[in-house]
Structure formats: C-alpha cells, structure tokens
Amino acid sequence: MAIRKAWQSNAQQPIKMEWKFSPKQLLLMYWYKTPRLASCAGVIADGAVRSGKTIALTFGFLMWATETFNGQNFALCGKTIKSFERNVLGPMKLIVRYLGYTLIERKHDNRVIISNSDGHVNNFFLFGGNDEKSQDLIQGITLAGVLLDEVALMPESFVNQALARLSVTGAKIWMNCNPEGPSHFVKTRFIDKYQEKQLLHVHFQLSDNLALSEERRAFYDKQWTGVFYRRYILGEWCLASGLVFSSFNPQTMVFDNLGPDLWRYSAYYVAGDYGTTNPTAVLVIGYSADTGTFDVIDEYYWSSKAMERQKTDDEYVADISALASKYPIKAAYFDPSAASLITALRKARVFPRLWLANNDVLNGIRFTGMLFSLGKIRVASRCKNLIRELQSYSWDEEKSEKTGEDVVLKINDHTCDALRYFCYSEVYVKAKSYGLGNIVALAGRMGT
Ligand SMILES: Nc1ncnc2c1ncn2[C@@H]1O[C@H](COP(=O)(O)OP(=O)(O)OP(=O)(O)O)[C@@H](O)[C@H]1O
Ligand SMILES: [Mg+2]
C-alpha cells in the first residue's frame, strides 16, 4: 500500500506576509487579466539573480490556474524535482496560504492538489527536466498549464514535451530563467521570437526586487566577475568569452610564502589532474582559518610532451609522495578518470584520504570563479604553472556560439582543473564549515 503523506495548509486563516511587489512583478502576476495581453500563449521572465522572478511567476501562475480552471492538470517543473522543491515549492506553500487557497501534498506521486473557496480543485504535478523518469511521465499527460522554473537549465527535448502537452483550451506556458549564452535555445526560440510565439517577455533587474536590501545587493554584486557578472547581475545573454577565471588578479592574489608561513595553515589538501599525453598537475592547498582563504602553496607539474618522456604510474606515485611528504596532508582529490593512478596512490598509502573529485566542469568553474571574486583563493608565487594557466585558460567562443552551451578550450587547463576539483569537491561540499553557506545557496541556484 502506498504510504500517504499529506500536508494541508490552513485555508481558513490566510497568513499575513510582508510582500512588496514592484511594477514588473505585478505585470508578471496579472498580465493575463489585461485585455491587451490576455490572448498571449504565455510569458517568459528572464534576468538577474534574486530579482523576484520566481516569486512573481508563482503568484501569477497559481492565481491564473486556480481562478480559471477546475478539475485540470498542471505541470510544475524545475531542473530536477529536488531543486524545484527546494527553490519553489517552499515559497509556493506560503503563497497558497497568503491567497487563502488550500494545498494538499501527495508525495508518493509528486502531486499537489490546490483548491479555492469557489470549489475549484486542480492537480499540479512536479517534474524535473533533468530527471529521466519525468521525461517519460510528462509525455502521457494532458495539461492546462506549465510552469518552467529555470527553463534554461532544462534540456530542449523536455521543454518540447511539456509544450506539446498543452492541449486544453486556454492553456498557457509560464517560464523564467537567468541568462545563458546568446545562442541558447531559450534565447533564440522564445525571447528573440516572443512576438511570433505570442509570448509576453518581461526582463528583470535586481532593482525589480523591492525586498532586496542595499547590503544584500552589494553582496550579490561581489560574487561575480566577467561573463557571470554580465549574466547574473546585469541580466545579459552574453557569450562566454575570454579568460575563464577573469576574477583572478595576479597583482593582488599572488603572494610570497616561503619560510615559517608555510606552517601556519589549519589544514592542508592536495588536488590533482592526470594526463598521459597531457600534463599531470598536482597542487598543495592550505586553508587558513585566520584569513578564511585557500592558499595554493606548492605544485607539481609534468608535461610529457615538453619533457619528451611519459612517466609511469609508479614514477608519479614517487613524485607525488615526495611533494606530499613535506606537508601534513588531510585529504586529496584527484581527477576521477585517473583510475590507475588513484589505485597506485591508494596502494602506496600516500594520503590518509583520497577521494575521486566531482568533475562537473561548468558548475565547478562558476564556484571556483566565485571564490576568486570574493578573494578567497590566493596563490604562492612559486606555483608558476598555475599562475600561467590561470592567465591563459579560456572559453571556446566558437563552440560556445555554435552549441549555445558554455564550452572551455581544453588547453592550459591542467592546474586549473586540479584547483576546480579541490574547490568543488572540498570547499563546496563543506561550505558551511568554511563560513561560505551564503555563496553556496546562490551557486546552488545556478544549476547544481
Ligand atoms: N514581492 C516580494 N516581497 C517580498 N519578498 C520578495 C518579493 N519578491 C521576491 N522576494 C524575495 O526575494 C528573494 C528572491 O526572489 P526570487 O526567488 O523570486 O528571485 P529570482 O529572480 O527567481 O532569483 P533566482 O534567479 O536566483 O532564481 C526571495 O527570498 C524572495 O522571497
Ligand atoms: Mg528563481
């Protein structure tokens, strides 16, 4: 028997919340009621992070669906069901209570049932664009409306499926996202063609969220540089171009660290990227609890091509052991594809803990870039290869333009990859204990 877990909001007593809506938010909430826009097939809201898109879209969608329809099915979609629950369903429950509706949650079939005092009762099914099961399930359903939160993080095939299910008369699509590259399908198919597709396009800036304090805005402002600043703060659909880590400033982030300073760190880590024909790069990173920084203090770099000789796993184990033996290493993170080297390092017990790193390239880059922007990473001057690669590791503009996805050039990336492994596997996962919980909450919304 299916386990039934129901949560029911208190419909009799609408709760008092301090909502402060901006004109753009009000447009997103009530456009379907205005004679000029009522015939639109849907709406797409894009723009800066934390600018109030999701809250306004959720308000509008719930009011439109509940007041217009009775006995219909709707889809609530996020990148994954989990991310939807985290980012949208929580605020949605507050909104439902604020509107005086009733919500019953049926966890076993990812459904919420929402009703109002006019006796309208509708089903809202949760789907994740990146969840395989959701892709199959959405194919078999007839919908009166779809809400796609963070639509630019979903595969185009899923968005097509969701659109194809909108067969009830008066059905509409409600979408929102942060900008990506200019050739991304959301930009070229929906935003650029909003008139042809009969969509309302609403562009959000940080100033459209009246609930954001100056302090909060300044905090968001500091997190990004380069392409990510243009996308997430300025709200531009711009190409990933130039340096990947444009937030690395050699003037202020490189230090001389020889002598007793080397021993002042609270914890030491190793991170490594492995190549056979490509270089193998290993970094030693010290975490300073005093400054709250992650200092790259030593490196190992072997380029088979430059040295005209490939090393065996045993030779690498000897080299890496020599580097690691100089520091009390707490844990190491290695390129997950370096299976044979990892086995050899484990067999030789070079590190007390050796983990396979998380190799999610784009999210790892975004997070590492955030740490640079906030001045959380510093590099010792003797790490010449890392300093060189940080200043040459670049986006592949041609491929990014062609595919609509962000693509990096796979050159000068070895020490950068090692650093990313450390940041995204150690710092991201243990962010709270490093006092970086706030950043992760923001990075998480970007797609993890
Ligand atoms: N009208 C409002 N009144 C009070 N608080 C609001 C209002 N609009 C948004 N907020 C708050 O501001 C924050 C950001 O809002 P929201 O999640 O809607 O932004 P977003 O543009 O979807 O952000 P992201 O791009 O990061 O997903 C949330 O904490 C939300 O509760
Ligand atoms: Mg949002």
Side-chain angles (χ1 to χ4, degrees), residues 324-346:
S325 64
K326 294 194 254 168
Y327 309 94
I329 304 294
K330 191 172 172 188
Y333 296 91
F334 267 75
D335 179 352
S337 63
S340 66
L341 178 64
I342 288 172
T343 307
L345 287 166
R346 281 189 173 148

Side-chain angles (χ1 to χ4, degrees), residues 33-339:
K33 289 193 173 179
T34 66
R36 189 172 60 88
L37 300 169
S39 62
C40 283
V43 60
I44 179 152
D46 71 333
V49 289
R50 317 312 286 142
S51 55
K53 305 181 297 296
T54 296
I55 290 288
L57 198 82
T58 309
F59 254 107
F61 183 76
L62 285 180
M63 291 190 292
W64 164 77
T66 310
E67 288 166 16
T68 318
F69 296 94
N70 183 20
Q72 294 294 345
N73 292 329
F74 296 85
L76 299 172
C77 313
K79 183 187 172 197
T80 61
I81 291 181
K82 238 175 159 185
S83 69
F84 188 90
E85 285 178 336
R86 194 178 55 220
N87 299 334
V88 191
L89 196 58
M92 184 178 267
K93 287 175 182 174
L94 290 179
I95 293 170
V96 163
R97 291 186 67 179
Y98 181 80
L99 293 170
Y101 299 162
T102 300
L103 180 149
I104 298 171
E105 191 174 5
R106 306 265 183 219
K107 289 226 176 210
H108 63 280
D109 60 355
N110 289 317
R111 175 161 60 121
V112 293
I113 302 161
I114 297 178
S115 50
N116 69 359
S117 54
D118 289 343
H120 289 195
V121 183
N122 292 295
N123 284 308
F124 296 77
F125 290 93
L126 270 54
F127 295 100
N130 288 264
D131 297 336
E132 243 170 65
K133 214 170 144 208
S134 289
Q135 303 241 2
D136 295 339
L137 287 176
I138 204 161
Q139 283 187 33
I141 192 166
T142 300
L143 298 168
V146 178
L147 184 152
L148 298 165
D149 186 57
E150 299 291 4
V151 62
L153 302 178
M154 296 173 192
E156 190 171 2
S157 58
F158 178 81
V159 177
N160 288 341
Q161 276 300 338
L163 284 171
R165 308 321 304 167
L166 287 172
S167 46
V168 174
T169 309
K172 293 189 193 297
I173 182 157
W174 299 61
M175 304 179 264
N176 81 80
C177 62
N178 301 121
E180 294 280 326
S183 339
H184 192 284
F185 78 89
V186 171
K187 173 79 166 47
T188 55
R189 272 185 59 188
F190 300 116
I191 294 181
D192 291 348
K193 297 194 179 140
Y194 75 95
Q195 279 174 321
E196 186 184 317
K197 301 264 172 177
Q198 291 188 299
L199 290 172
L200 166 66
H201 172 216
V202 189
H203 185 70
F204 274 70
Q205 285 166 337
L206 275 173
S207 54
D208 294 311
N209 183 352
L210 304 179
L212 267 194
S213 64
E214 273 307 313
E215 193 190 341
R216 212 66 206 143
R217 278 185 62 172
F219 172 76
Y220 292 142
D221 236 49
K222 270 200 309 191
Q223 323 249 316
W224 311 106
T225 33
V227 60
F228 297 122
Y229 184 85
R230 290 181 60 194
R231 287 182 187 170
Y232 301 143
I233 300 298
L234 302 181
E236 295 174 14
W237 291 79
C238 61
L239 193 67
S241 61
L243 292 179
V244 172
F245 292 119
S246 57
S247 45
F248 169 68
N249 180 348
Q251 259 43 281
T252 56
M253 297 176 186
V254 174
F255 65 102
D256 288 317
N257 81 321
L258 301 171
D261 255 10
L262 262 185
W263 307 112
R264 71 186 170 88
Y265 293 102
S266 336
Y268 294 79
Y269 299 94
V270 159
D273 186 49
Y274 174 71
T276 43
T277 50
N278 280 321
T280 291
V282 181
L283 304 175
V284 179
I285 299 134
Y287 171 62
S288 164
D290 295 340
T291 55
T293 56
F294 301 91
D295 293 357
V296 186
I297 52 177
D298 213 341
E299 70 172 13
Y300 166 83
Y301 195 88
W302 179 266
S303 166
S304 311
K305 245 187 236 151
M307 306 307 282
E308 294 179 353
R309 186 173 83 80
Q310 271 188 16
K311 286 200 176 186
T312 63
D313 281 348
D314 285 346
E315 284 175 297
Y316 278 133
V317 169
D319 292 353
I320 295 167
S321 298
L323 176 79
S325 64
K326 294 194 254 168
Y327 309 94
I329 304 294
K330 191 172 172 188
Y333 296 91
F334 267 75
D335 179 352
S337 63

